[in-house]
């Protein structure tokens, strides 16, 4: 089982980055005890080297059960270690599960080819010979057409190449959606109803 999560300080103050930096280590240790491997695949850090956002890949079993006690808002109750006169003691970060689109691999067995007559100018050949090819990617329903040449074989290859380009565009759109969702997570941290509460400079829970 493979799951992706994001820890975000929600563009909060330095205290939130400090909280996230320390809680990531706690999260990794708890996951290890459950035989879940946590791999950090992306990090955004502040100028002071504290982590503002971390995307991690979790590998193992019963990950959903493990995440039930982590998903949502995390609260750290502590006086600021950076501003001694600051009255605020509640610092929030968020843990989100990221839904990643599966990579689309173009396999020959997934392509349905349909031969048809070419349309448009071209004289008698166009009207009598079925040389154009439509390619359908059955898992996604995406199609492409090639009628560039008089060779059905060449048109078949062109149709497949164009299908591959369309699938790549779809994959790029999905990847951009993942990125946009991660940025959206920064603004969606709930300041209340925390899933986990940590207290003090040693993050006791």
């Amino acid at each position: 089982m493979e799951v992706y999560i994001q820890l975000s300080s929600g563009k909060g103050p330095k205290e939130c980055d400090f909280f996230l930096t320390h809680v990531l280590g706690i999260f990794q240790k708890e996951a290890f005890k459950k035989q879940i491997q946590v791999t950090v695949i992306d990090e955004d850090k502040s100028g002071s080297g504290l982590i503002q956002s971390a995307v991690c890949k979790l590998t193992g079993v019963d990950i959903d059960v493990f995440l039930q006690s982590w998903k949502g808002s995390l609260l750290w109750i502590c006086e600021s270690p950076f501003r001694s006169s600051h009255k605020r003691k509640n610092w929030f970060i968020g843990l989100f599960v990221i839904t990643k689109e599966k990579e689309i691999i173009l396999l020959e067995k997934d392509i349905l080819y349909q031969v048809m007559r070419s349309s448009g100018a071209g004289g008698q050949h166009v009207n009598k010979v079925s040389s154009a090819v439509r390619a359908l990617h059955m898992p996604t329903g995406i199609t492409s057409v090639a009628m560039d040449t008089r060779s059905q074989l060449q048109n078949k290859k062109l149709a497949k190449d164009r299908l591959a380009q369309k699938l790549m565009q779809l994959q790029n759109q999905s990847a951009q959606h993942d990125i946009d969702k991660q940025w959206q997570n920064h603004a969606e941290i709930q300041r209340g109803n925390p899933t986990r509460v940590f207290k003090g400079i040693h993050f006791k829970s």
Side-chain angles (χ1 to χ4, degrees), residues 25-53:
I26 296 171
F27 178 80
Q28 289 172 311
K29 287 178 182 178
E30 286 196 13
F32 180 77
K33 290 178 181 178
K34 300 291 185 180
Q35 297 184 323
I36 296 171
Q37 181 180 351
V38 179
T39 305
V40 179
I41 60 174
D42 188 34
E43 274 185 356
D44 288 328
K45 292 187 175 182
S46 64
S48 56
L50 297 172
I51 302 172
Q52 296 175 312
S53 172

Side-chain angles (χ1 to χ4, degrees), residues 8-9 12-26 44-46 48-53 76-83 91-93 198-203:
S8 171
S9 63
K14 189 176 181 179
E15 289 82 359
C16 294
D17 300 341
F18 183 77
F19 176 25
L20 193 156
T21 302
H22 284 271
V23 92
L24 176 58
I26 296 171
D44 288 328
K45 292 187 175 182
S46 64
S48 56
L50 297 172
I51 302 172
Q52 296 175 312
S53 172
W76 176 39
I77 303 174
C78 185
E79 292 182 356
S80 170
F82 308 108
R83 298 176 285 178
W91 315 100
F92 287 93
I93 62 172
F198 299 86
K199 297 180 180 180
I201 198 65
H202 299 295
F203 299 93

Side-chain angles (χ1 to χ4, degrees), residues 6 8-9 23 28 31 42 47 51 55 63 69 90 96 104-105 120 159 164-165 167 180 184 192 199 201:
Q6 180 187 18
S8 171
S9 63
V23 92
Q28 289 172 311
D42 188 34
I51 302 172
V55 176
I63 296 176
S69 64
N90 292 346
F96 307 90
I104 301 173
I105 300 173
Q165 290 176 0
L167 289 174
D180 292 343
Q184 186 180 344
K199 297 180 180 180
I201 198 65

Side-chain angles (χ1 to χ4, degrees), residues 151-168:
S151 167
Q152 188 183 113
L153 192 62
Q154 290 180 12
N155 283 336
K156 183 178 179 181
K157 183 180 182 303
L158 285 169
K160 182 179 179 180
D161 290 344
R162 288 170 184 170
L163 198 58
Q165 290 176 0
K166 287 187 175 184
L167 289 174
M168 185 175 291

Side-chain angles (χ1 to χ4, degrees), residues 159-178:
K160 182 179 179 180
D161 290 344
R162 288 170 184 170
L163 198 58
Q165 290 176 0
K166 287 187 175 184
L167 289 174
M168 185 175 291
Q169 290 175 356
L170 178 64
Q171 196 75 54
N172 290 339
Q173 289 172 0
S174 297
Q176 186 59 50
H177 178 267
D178 289 341

